[in-house]
Amino acid sequence: MSQPGATTTARFEVKMTHRSADLEIPVVIRARIATPAPVLPRHPFVFAIWMSAASMVAVAAGLVLGILAATEASIGGSRWTPSVQAHGRLQLFGFVATFVVALALEFLIRLNGRPAFSARVRIVVPALLGGGALALAAGQVWHDTIGALAYAGGAAFLCGALSFAVLTWRIPLSRPVRVDPQPLFMRAAAAWLAVAGALALWGVAEAEAGVIPLDISSATVEVFLRGFVTLTIIGVGLRAFAGHLGLQPPGPGRLLVVYSLLNASVVAWLLASGVGALQASSWLERIADAAFAAGLVAFVAWFGLLTSLRRARGGPRYTLLIPLAWVGAMAYAALLAATAVLPGGHSLGLYEDGAIRHTYLLGFIVPLMIAMAHVVLARFALGFVPWENALTGGFFLLFAAWPLRTIPFLFESAPSTPSRWLLTTAGLLAMAGLFLVATVCARTAQLATRRARQLARA
């Protein structure tokens, strides 16, 4: 059956003819029905708009708060803790969640051969996540005047997270998980995003003077990064990395080992964290950290992601950028394993913990997002990336910001004046890099929309 709204054409082939002096009559005719052309969704370039908007949230709001907190200027000095926490929510929820979910809504249908989600879904779900993050952060920083806005923001974000989970879980499995465990990673990622949203709303309810309890705040961040982001990267990467880097994915048995290690480690970390009424357990937290690091290393080793660096020369840019980003993931795994094994590894200060977390975020997650943007902006939009040098420049600016943000604070429980300047420099580099990303994504959306209008007129 043809797809509704598709254009179906028939080709007729003459196989044998009868000829006379003045007449040629077809005797055998076979009709071949051409494959119907797929119907494009309405507003097919919404994902590029959301990628641009999410990047600008980081540039104009999240990183601004981070720099103000680093220099203790303005509200970064008078409301330091709310500013730091709001900075984290904007970067994780407003930027990463919005960016990743907008792309995941495109990947989910392509990976499973399903019809496209409606334009309403692709607009509303990221809007709930990004808008909720903005409202949550604003209510937290200016808690004395618009504190109620944080409740509305937390509720909106949770609504968006639950919507994404429902959409993901409703997609039927094309093959049994014992044959193809890839959909399990996407389903678990969506579930962990909903858990992170619930924890964020709980944190707002327990906040005092705009300060979310540190145990709830830390649990929200770790669940988001280790659960949602990591499993989404693996779920998408099992298809995307294999195709674009020419790698052989791990077999189902190995994938189930990685899946079990990562999910069990997040559950164990939550149980050991002491969040809410739970009893903190240092030994269980060490096991959770070691298990998560082991899961990451096993995935990279079995997939051969770092070995693909040797074959990157002369290929598309992403063949270098994608495996290069995974160097940051391995650095994070090494730091996490060190905290699990070394004495005193779980008595780190706020800045030391933040340095380890930013190794994962700034050294791996965000660079990988930009590396993958080289793929999706071309494949899902124009066939090429406009201003590709700017997008690649954004990758290397973020990659350069990573050591400036993290290395000094791995050895300082309180920042010195030089470290504050390095922190500020890292923030400025990140702002410049993400501004380039936002600009390229916006330009892609503009050109793609113009092309769609021209095709509609033709």
Side-chain angles (χ1 to χ4, degrees):
M1 294 180 63
S2 63
Q3 190 174 351
T7 301
T8 304
T9 59
R11 296 189 182 95
F12 295 92
E13 296 185 355
V14 178
K15 305 305 291 183
M16 186 173 67
T17 60
H18 172 75
R19 293 182 177 88
S20 67
D22 302 313
L23 187 64
E24 183 176 286
I25 302 173
V27 176
V28 178
I29 300 177
R30 183 177 67 184
R32 183 194 302 169
I33 304 300
T35 302
V39 178
L40 292 176
R42 291 185 62 198
H43 313 298
F45 312 115
V46 167
F47 75 94
I49 297 174
W50 280 122
M51 289 166 66
S52 178
S55 300
M56 284 306 299
V57 167
V59 171
L63 287 168
V64 169
L65 278 179
I67 291 174
L68 290 176
T71 57
E72 297 187 1
S74 184
I75 57 175
S78 59
R79 301 172 183 174
W80 189 85
T81 302
S83 295
V84 170
Q85 291 184 340
H87 155 76
R89 297 301 174 269
L90 287 168
Q91 297 303 89
L92 298 183
F93 291 173
F95 168 44
V96 175
T98 306
F99 193 109
V100 170
V101 166
L103 279 183
L105 292 174
E106 304 294 328
F107 273 110
L108 283 171
I109 59 172
R110 288 167 171 84
L111 296 181
N112 294 278
R114 309 299 299 176
F117 293 116
S118 68
R120 181 179 301 176
V121 165
R122 291 179 291 114
I123 292 171
V124 170
V125 173
L128 287 170
L129 298 174
L134 287 169
L136 197 159
Q140 186 173 4
V141 173
W142 291 286
H143 59 88
D144 50 347
T145 54
I146 56 171
L149 195 61
Y151 288 92
F157 184 87
L158 178 57
C159 182
L162 289 172
S163 299
F164 178 66
V166 170
L167 291 168
T168 303
W169 279 76
R170 287 184 62 185
I171 296 176
L173 299 177
S174 57
R175 292 187 292 177
V177 295
R178 68 178 182 275
V179 177
D180 181 16
Q182 181 270 340
L184 290 180
F185 288 91
M186 299 303 299
R187 290 185 171 189
W192 283 120
L193 179 62
V195 173
L199 286 169
L201 187 57
W202 179 27
V204 171
E206 297 293 327
E208 294 184 7
V211 177
I212 295 173
L214 295 182
D215 57 340
I216 301 177
S217 179
S218 181
T220 304
V221 172
E222 295 299 331
V223 164
F224 180 86
L225 291 176
R226 300 191 191 191
F228 165 64
V229 180
T230 303
L231 293 171
T232 300
I233 287 171
I234 293 176
V236 171
L238 284 171
R239 299 286 192 267
F241 301 157
H244 296 298
L245 301 181
L247 299 175
Q248 181 65 35
R254 288 181 169 183
L255 285 179
L256 289 173
V257 170
V258 172
Y259 176 83
S260 301
L261 273 174
L262 295 179
N263 282 284
S265 70
V266 179
V267 173
W269 191 95
L270 273 176
L271 293 175
S273 66
V275 63
L278 294 176
Q279 185 68 35
S281 173
S282 177
W283 65 267
L284 183 57
E285 190 172 350
R286 289 174 181 268
I287 291 175
D289 287 345
F292 187 83
L296 274 182
V297 172
F299 177 73
V300 171
W302 287 337
F303 212 161
L305 284 164
L306 294 186
T307 59
S308 66
L309 277 170
R310 293 178 296 187
R311 302 193 301 271
R313 184 176 300 175
R317 297 183 188 186
Y318 57 76
T319 60
L320 169 65
L321 303 183
I322 291 173
L324 192 58
W326 281 93
V327 173
M330 294 299 92
Y332 173 73
L335 290 171
L336 209 58
T339 63
V341 174
L342 298 177
H346 279 262
S347 58
L348 301 177
L350 181 66
Y351 282 93
E352 295 160 321
D353 275 335
I356 294 175
R357 189 175 296 124
H358 276 81
T359 295
Y360 200 43
L361 180 63
L362 198 55
F364 168 57
I365 291 172
V366 179
L368 184 63
M369 289 163 58
I370 301 174
M372 287 300 297
H374 286 73
V375 178
V376 298
L377 291 177
R379 297 301 177 97
F380 297 171
L382 296 170
F384 67 96
V385 180
W387 302 341
E388 188 174 14
N389 288 339
L391 188 62
T392 307
F395 174 94
F396 284 108
L397 284 171
L398 267 296
F399 214 61
W402 159 37
L404 298 179
R405 171 58 183 87
T406 58
I407 292 177
F409 302 97
L410 290 172
F411 309 100
E412 293 182 356
S413 57
S416 61
T417 299
S419 296
R420 290 186 186 278
W421 281 110
L422 289 174
L423 188 62
T424 303
T425 302
L428 293 173
L429 288 174
M431 288 179 73
L434 290 176
F435 180 77
L436 291 176
V437 173
T439 302
V440 174
C441 292
R443 179 61 173 169
T444 301
Q446 179 191 29
L447 293 177
T449 303
R450 183 184 303 171
R451 176 184 290 182
R453 289 174 179 170
Q454 291 171 346
L455 291 174
R457 296 192 196 102

